[in-house]
Amino acid sequence: MYAFEFHRASDIDDALKQLGADDEAQLIAGGQTLLQSLRQRLAMPSTLVDLGGLTELAGIERDGDALNIGAMTRHADVAGAAAVHDAIPALAVLAGGIGDAQVRNMGTLGGSIANNDPAADYPAGLVGLGATVVTTEREIAADDFFTGMFETALGEHELILGVRFPVPRRAGYVKFPQPASRYVLVSVMVAETDEGVRVAVSGAGPCVFRVPEMERALAADFRPEALDGIRVDPGGLNEDLHATPEYRAHLVGVIARRAVAAALS
Amino acid sequence: MNVSLTVNGQAVTRDVDPRTTLVELLRNHLSLTGTHVGCDTGQCGACTVHLDGRAVKACSVLAGQAQGAQVTTIEGLADGGLHPMQSAFRECHGLQCGFCTPGMVMAAVDLVKRHPDPDEATIRDGLEGNYCRCTGYHNIVRAVRRAAEQM
């Protein structure tokens, strides 16, 4: 790791102050990705501003037709919370499948979405469920939040407070993990909401994306068979040693069908 | 920077470089070498300890993130004799070379705390973040099952 200063934020204002005082300062939430990036010298922050002490950013709360989850809520807590199981069981499935037990005990919702790794689970979860990211400055629809590979709409001095998930009529999340890393090779969140059907895909492309053709087909007939014959264009999908774009495109169809089946079960 | 935390019930303060990981603090500054460093990249789980009662990979946590926390290592697990999980690993031959064992035991204790009566699938899923290159896992799963009956 390159040298850095470490500052444990005492509250949100303190974190923002530290962030504003230094252009090279960076926030650390659970650190489950950031620490490995630091170790590989892929990141070179001057100061790490630790959000670990900000208990006010952790928590899960049902508010009418929405589920509010604080940015510092650990994946294990999302996976285990009764409120999540009652409202959006697919979200509990998603959180319970991230990394492994130890990673889920440290890793946070806010950290994961701020990083926007193309192979992370939460981006498909937020976009698929039509969630809203709440920050210190504004509210950002998930569709507008994830802007590209490891890029988000977040400003330099903007901190994620939490995410508001509208409770869907039904939803299903299925992940096809890369077997060694357990990162997403392809995962799909399918949700039937009051505003229509949403289908969001992580892992396949450089950034989470929706599949409008699948959404239209499922809006007419919410069954796995409704997706038969819909092909995803491999153009622009990720290519690496784990999978070709053609394989990923094929998997999107397979996993989307399974996600619909999960939503119906 | 100064880091103050409680390790195995004892309050400790150390002046460390901000880059120090929790496992480096435990091994190099506190001489608690029961926690092993395997991959040092968050994969293998050999460095698993409990941070405020939850299993974490100590190579993937900065010492500063543990400020004010309660940490339990393999040295702090036994109270008098062996912990039931340690005994079960011995009785079921849940280890061969023993390198992964401290992390495996700490992860398994957390697992049984959350799932007091785990079936085989729950155990295998719960230990997904711990690698053993000797046993093929079969006896580790048996050990966790046996310990769960005794804990």
Side-chain angles (χ1 to χ4, degrees), chain A residues 101-191:
Chain A
Q102 292 95 317
V103 168
R104 292 192 290 274
N105 280 339
M106 280 302 288
T108 66
L109 167 61
S112 173
I113 64 174
N115 190 47
N116 193 18
D117 190 317
D121 293 84
Y122 265 124
L126 267 69
V127 173
L129 291 165
T132 301
V133 181
V134 181
T135 78
T136 44
E137 294 178 15
R138 55 195 165 138
E139 298 196 348
I140 311 169
D143 283 330
D144 304 322
F145 180 82
F146 302 104
T147 54
M149 187 181 269
F150 295 108
E151 285 182 10
T152 69
L154 282 174
E156 285 281 307
H157 304 134
E158 191 171 10
L159 192 149
I160 302 170
L161 298 174
V163 177
R164 188 170 66 243
F165 294 91
V167 176
R169 288 184 205 149
R170 50 194 169 184
Y173 180 74
V174 173
K175 166 184 185 172
F176 189 97
Q178 199 282 322
S181 72
R182 302 183 206 80
Y183 272 94
V184 170
L185 197 61
V186 167
S187 76
V188 179
M189 176 69 87
V190 173

Side-chain angles (χ1 to χ4, degrees), chain B residues 52-73:
Chain B
D52 287 331
R54 306 169 130 207
V56 301
K57 294 177 172 178
C59 78
S60 301
V61 178
L62 288 169
Q65 290 178 276
Q67 173 72 34
Q70 300 272 346
V71 173
T72 305
T73 71

Side-chain angles (χ1 to χ4, degrees), chain A residues 60-62 67 69 76-90 92:
Chain A
I60 300 165
E61 193 183 78
R62 176 76 183 257
L67 193 64
I69 304 184
D77 293 327
V78 175
V84 181
H85 283 266
D86 290 347
I88 318 178

Side-chain angles (χ1 to χ4, degrees), chain A residues 1-6 8 28-32 35-36 38-39 48 50 74 76-77 99-106 180-182, chain B residues 1 18-19 21 40-43 45 48 51 54-57 59-62 64-67 107 110 114 125-126 128-131:
Chain A
M1 295 182 218
Y2 294 112
F4 52 78
E5 297 296 316
F6 188 90
R8 191 164 172 90
I28 179 167
Q32 297 303 282
L35 220 64
Q36 307 310 337
L38 291 168
R39 188 173 265 133
L48 285 184
D50 178 23
R74 316 277 171 179
D77 293 327
D100 53 49
Q102 292 95 317
V103 168
R104 292 192 290 274
N105 280 339
M106 280 302 288
S181 72
R182 302 183 206 80
Chain B
M1 59 182 244
R19 289 171 285 186
T21 59
D40 208 20
T41 56
Q43 314 280 329
T48 300
L51 179 68
R54 306 169 130 207
V56 301
K57 294 177 172 178
C59 78
S60 301
V61 178
L62 288 169
Q65 290 178 276
Q67 173 72 34
D110 190 33
R114 285 156 200 268
D125 187 53
E128 200 180 9
N130 291 78
Y131 296 172

Side-chain angles (χ1 to χ4, degrees), chain B residues 9 50 88 92 123 139:
Chain B
H50 293 177
C92 297
I123 296 170
N139 286 346

